Amino acid sequence: MAETDEIIQMHGADGAGNKYPTTLAEAVLMEKNGDKTIVDALKESGGSSIPTPGMVLFTGSASKDSAKLKMQGPENVTVQTSNGSIATLCQIGGFKVLRKTGGYPTGPDDTEATLVIDVPFSDNKKYAETPYVDTGLARTTTYYYAAYVYSDNGRYSTNAAKLELTTHDYTCYGYRITESVSVPSSMVTEIPDGEAEYNLSNKGYTPMHMDYSSGKMNWGSWKGDEFIFPRSCAVKYDTTVDYYLNENDESKKLDGTASDYKNASYAGNMMVEFGRNNTIIWKKYKSTGTAGVYDIYLADQKIDDNFTAYAFMRSDGKFAKHFYLPKYFGYSTGGKLRSISGTSGTVNTTMATERSTAEANNISGDDSWGLITKSMWDLYGDILTLLGMSTDSQTVFGYGYANSNSSAIFNGTMDGKGMFWGENDGRQGVKALGIENPWGNLWRRIDGWHQGAAGHTLIKLCKGTGDGSTASNFSDAATGYIDINDEGQACSGYISKMKYDTRGFRYPIACSGSKTTYYADYKWTNTGTAAIVGGGWHYGLTYGASCVHLADTPSYSSSDYGSSPSCQSKEELSA
């Protein structure tokens, strides 16, 4: 038998037809055929066989009952032969992940360990960016994971990649704001290991961003069913959900039948619902002790007494199971401020009119409907910052209809585009968390944020006095609101610093940025004014999720000023 035939019989070939040895003795046969480079490579490996390499990536994070694993196996081990061709020394078959409680798996054949997943070489990079989700885990339990790479002839790597993860009784996401950093995407970072107060489930996550070349949202590591994501729905005037909408086709309910998304006679509104699986969104702002450095936490439980949830707090001080933001800009008909597709936003109204028509959605004796509140708007922006890991919402999610346009576009322009959609020319609009044009197109007046005398911000976070105010309801005069006398509040310009109040609200305190730096949004300021947010159709990159206009009185009206309804469910959060 020829020596070349012996090589083929002993060792086979890889997918490209290249012969490969597994021991130094066997490789000598290839040396006789002129492949001395292979023998040198084997000798340098320090053994008589080619070791199977270990994992390239193996990290993860745990939540209440699942773990997300980012992982990538190695490439084949190859070498350039003396004649210039590429020979494969170790053909990778794949890798498998095992987990165990009480200690790490003892090896790839540990019968007491649970096989989590066996990943073939063809899927080597599948979970490098989008993590694999290991579900069905017990709460408050430590799991020990080990990843073993194996070659196509069954030889395992000698050193397993190991990972210890502990599930907990809550899910918490977090990020850090460092205001000394001017680049918006670098200003927002993960909270460093050892500095986070809680186990964070978004460790190692890839942020979301709009892919403008494909016209589709890149979801990064997010799936869209996490507790911070809302659901589009039809909410009746009694605050019960009639049905949920198809996120990709608002003309249909989830069951495929026709919806009322354009029906102005429908006894309710098209909204997005926050609060999932009997959990609401609790928030904590924490100063790290370093000026301008804040840690922001969003959790599905009140982990400690520093977490607040004013967006869900009802006038009686109890927590609603859900709160709802409008899918569409407010449209006034029949004395009610509605959220209906196919309509034009109602403008040239005063704040008092906007508030009364929003509250007209209430059934007799109820106070669940009203204008969007500051606490709701702040939470909406906090979620977007978390998802995109940037303070520049226009770059991450879409420019918005704001580039020197001459008039507003109709409600429903972004129907059928999913929960997120955006463009970067400023001519078509933006959709984020199911809400059309949260910035650009038309300014939205919100309740609970006024500018009083110079240096005084007046805040109210919810109806009732559970927020620490003395006012039972919102008003144009802001009587009984929380009065904050802080530095820099009278500034106008691109926002460069915020004050993150531990009571769960934030406001700009410095305005020395630009349209591409820091918060990348503009603030206008004057005394005796009420907040409008988001931006209109014409001033371009001044707008975004943090943009605020505190320069006009509540009684001022304009062709690009209006508002929208919100509501809280009468159903309370169960204990």
Side-chain angles (χ1 to χ4, degrees):
M1 180 172 64
E3 289 174 342
T4 303
D5 294 334
E6 184 179 2
I7 295 172
I8 295 173
Q9 285 191 355
M10 291 175 64
H11 318 296
D14 63 16
N18 297 313
K19 314 303 183 298
Y20 57 94
T22 57
T23 68
L24 181 60
E26 294 162 356
V28 172
L29 294 171
M30 297 189 78
E31 182 184 22
K32 292 179 180 179
N33 289 306
D35 290 329
K36 187 175 184 301
T37 309
I38 296 179
V39 179
D40 293 338
L42 285 165
K43 289 178 179 177
E44 290 172 4
S45 72
S48 61
S49 65
I50 296 293
T52 303
M55 297 287 287
V56 172
L57 173 69
F58 193 54
T59 62
S61 62
S63 59
K64 286 191 295 189
D65 52 12
S66 65
K68 292 188 176 182
L69 306 175
K70 280 191 172 183
M71 44 198 176
Q72 179 182 334
E75 298 296 328
N76 295 325
V77 179
T78 60
V79 67
Q80 187 173 9
T81 66
S82 56
N83 62 14
S85 63
I86 301 298
T88 301
L89 303 182
C90 180
Q91 177 80 26
I92 304 300
F95 64 88
K96 66 180 181 179
V97 178
L98 279 68
R99 67 167 151 79
K100 197 175 180 180
T101 57
Y104 287 105
T106 58
D109 300 317
D110 188 341
T111 58
E112 296 182 357
T114 298
L115 176 63
V116 176
I117 188 172
D118 192 333
V119 181
F121 181 69
S122 58
D123 290 335
N124 189 38
K125 298 180 180 179
K126 182 176 182 179
Y127 302 109
E129 294 294 333
T130 302
Y132 175 82
V133 183
D134 184 20
T135 59
L137 305 182
R139 295 187 180 188
T140 62
T141 302
T142 299
Y143 289 92
Y144 298 87
Y145 290 83
Y148 300 91
V149 181
Y150 55 86
S151 65
D152 68 340
N153 61 5
R155 189 169 59 251
Y156 283 93
S157 55
T158 56
N159 295 317
K162 295 181 178 180
L163 184 62
E164 177 183 336
L165 296 175
T166 301
T167 56
H168 32 85
D169 203 32
Y170 59 82
T171 297
C172 184
Y173 304 121
Y175 59 90
R176 173 165 289 180
I177 297 282
T178 303
E179 293 182 328
S180 61
V181 178
S182 64
V183 179
S185 59
S186 300
M187 186 174 169
V188 185
T189 59
E190 289 188 2
I191 302 173
D193 289 341
E195 297 184 32
E197 289 189 273
Y198 315 101
N199 292 313
L200 299 181
S201 297
N202 62 311
K203 180 181 178 181
Y205 270 31
T206 301
M208 294 179 69
H209 71 274
M210 185 67 194
D211 185 338
Y212 298 114
S213 60
S214 68
K216 295 181 179 180
M217 175 57 67
N218 182 324
W219 285 72
S221 299
W222 298 96
K223 296 174 61 181
D225 60 358
E226 293 88 349
F227 75 92
I228 56 174
F229 284 91
R231 295 181 289 179
S232 297
C233 56
V235 181
K236 296 190 290 186
Y237 294 140
D238 66 2
T239 78
T240 59
V241 172
D242 195 2
Y243 52 83
Y244 290 97
L245 293 167
N246 183 330
E247 296 288 357
N248 297 307
D249 183 358
E250 284 86 349
S251 70
K252 293 182 174 58
K253 305 175 186 178
L254 275 184
D255 64 8
T257 59
S259 76
D260 297 279
Y261 78 126
K262 288 187 176 181
N263 182 8
S265 298
Y266 177 72
N269 292 292
M270 303 299 118
M271 310 292 283
V272 294
E273 176 189 74
F274 290 84
R276 282 176 174 257
N277 305 321
N278 201 40
T279 62
I280 63 175
I281 305 170
W282 295 87
K283 176 172 68 173
K284 177 178 177 179
Y285 291 161
K286 181 195 174 185
S287 173
T288 63
T290 300
V293 181
Y294 300 95
D295 290 343
I296 315 301
Y297 297 100
L298 301 176
D300 65 351
Q301 295 183 36
K302 187 176 183 179
I303 303 175
D304 60 43
D305 288 340
N306 294 313
F307 279 81
T308 63
Y310 290 117
F312 292 86
M313 183 174 280
R314 295 174 50 85
S315 61
D316 59 5
K318 298 179 180 179
F319 292 100
K321 192 172 183 178
H322 307 285
F323 82 85
Y324 301 88
L325 290 179
K327 282 187 68 65
Y328 307 105
F329 196 87
Y331 163 69
S332 187
T333 180
K336 293 181 174 68
L337 190 62
R338 308 288 304 285
S339 173
I340 299 291
S341 181
T343 59
S344 58
T346 296
V347 294
N348 280 314
T349 50
T350 67
M351 188 174 196
T353 298
E354 292 156 6
R355 186 184 300 112
S356 65
T357 53
E359 292 176 347
N361 287 289
N362 286 307
I363 61 175
S364 179
D366 191 23
D367 65 353
S368 299
W369 291 88
L371 295 180
I372 298 170
T373 66
K374 176 162 176 56
S375 60
M376 294 175 181
W377 192 252
D378 280 354
L379 179 58
Y380 178 76
D382 294 335
I383 294 172
L384 291 180
T385 301
L386 169 68
L387 297 178
M389 293 298 281
S390 173
T391 50
D392 186 352
S393 54
Q394 285 183 291
T395 294
V396 175
F397 297 104
Y399 193 125
Y401 184 75
N403 189 3
S404 301
N405 301 301
S406 58
S407 61
I409 53 178
F410 272 69
N411 288 326
T413 304
M414 265 68 71
D415 283 343
K417 294 184 180 295
M419 183 176 283
F420 292 89
W421 185 83
E423 40 75 18
N424 58 358
D425 62 12
R427 303 288 185 179
Q428 301 173 66
V430 63
K431 190 176 184 183
L433 290 171
I435 298 173
E436 256 193 19
N437 297 314
W439 52 86
N441 198 39
L442 294 170
W443 288 95
R444 297 173 190 258
R445 197 124 44 182
I446 65 171
D447 246 334
W449 191 2
H450 289 242
Q451 189 72 45
H456 288 261
T457 293
L458 306 175
I459 299 291
K460 183 166 176 56
L461 301 172
C462 61
K463 294 178 180 179
T465 57
D467 59 354
S469 70
T470 60
S472 60
N473 210 338
F474 298 101
S475 68
D476 284 9
T479 303
Y481 283 22
I482 301 167
D483 187 345
I484 301 161
N485 184 7
D486 205 350
E487 75 282 1
Q489 291 184 51
C491 73
S492 291
Y494 285 98
I495 302 166
S496 54
K497 291 183 180 180
M498 291 264 196
K499 177 66 177 289
Y500 289 83
D501 194 285
T502 55
R503 288 168 287 187
F505 56 88
R506 52 185 165 84
Y507 50 91
I509 58 173
C511 302
S512 58
S514 72
K515 63 185 179 182
T516 59
T517 59
Y518 299 104
Y519 290 90
D521 290 339
Y522 207 89
K523 177 196 176 190
W524 289 261
T525 305
N526 203 346
T527 58
T529 57
I532 55 173
V533 296
W537 61 66
H538 48 295
Y539 282 156
L541 294 175
T542 59
Y543 301 145
S546 294
C547 176
V548 60
H549 190 283
L550 279 159
D552 289 318
T553 65
S555 61
Y556 182 82
S557 62
S558 174
S559 61
D560 59 351
Y561 286 17
S563 195
S564 305
S566 74
C567 82
Q568 296 169 321
S569 65
K570 290 195 291 184
E571 184 179 9
E572 296 173 7
L573 181 69
S574 60

